[in-house]
Amino acid sequence: MKKFLAITILLLVAIPLFATTKMQLELGVQNSDISLNYQGDSGTVKFNAELDLGMNVIFDEKNGFNLVFAPNLTGNSFTFGGGYIYQTKIGDSTKLLLSAGPRANIKSSSWSLGVDLSAALQLNLTSKVYISVSTGTVLYVAKFEKGNTKAYIDLTIPLPKIAIGYTF
């Protein structure tokens, strides 16, 4: 946790030094999903609820990267991820962001590795504040537990997430 905060602080300090960089911080007010987990010969369906803190860094009004930290409110785990973002304007006050990148879900005795694909629609409320509505999919493919690696499939399709964000 301390490393994550240190990296975030360094990014907040260093990235605004570039004149063409825009940084966005957003807090998801709803990030719930339904997931299908299949391991071996059995599968389960589960419901999750997470509070989602995200940071998007856009370099040239089109390309950038994101970081996501999401503690799970229904269990003792958290998610950390990041990836590439492509941003395009749809109108004067609306943008579409497409992102893809790795994601890790960390629990007390194990962690899982996967990939996240998402699309977000941002609606500007002011020149700095926006509302984001997004969804996508997360596919976990490996689980690391007690020194063992297990290949498995955990496909998660989030319900639409609503977030409020600030651009600086």
Side-chain angles (χ1 to χ4, degrees), residues 75-154:
N76 60 350
S77 68
F78 66 91
T79 300
F80 182 74
Y84 170 77
I85 288 182
Y86 178 77
Q87 173 181 278
T88 185
K89 288 187 176 185
I90 295 177
D92 291 337
S93 63
T94 308
K95 297 174 190 166
L96 176 67
L97 282 80
L98 304 171
S99 67
R103 182 167 280 232
N105 183 276
I106 301 168
K107 297 181 181 178
S108 59
S109 63
S110 67
W111 66 283
S112 302
L113 184 62
V115 65
D116 176 25
L117 304 168
S118 67
L121 189 63
Q122 286 185 352
L123 306 167
N124 291 340
L125 300 176
T126 68
S127 63
K128 298 285 185 186
V129 178
Y130 64 89
I131 295 270
S132 176
V133 179
S134 64
T135 191
T137 187
V138 178
L139 177 63
Y140 290 103
V141 294
K143 186 174 188 176
F144 305 92
E145 185 174 26
K146 298 179 184 174
N148 296 323
T149 303
K150 299 176 184 175
Y152 82 123
I153 295 174
D154 188 339

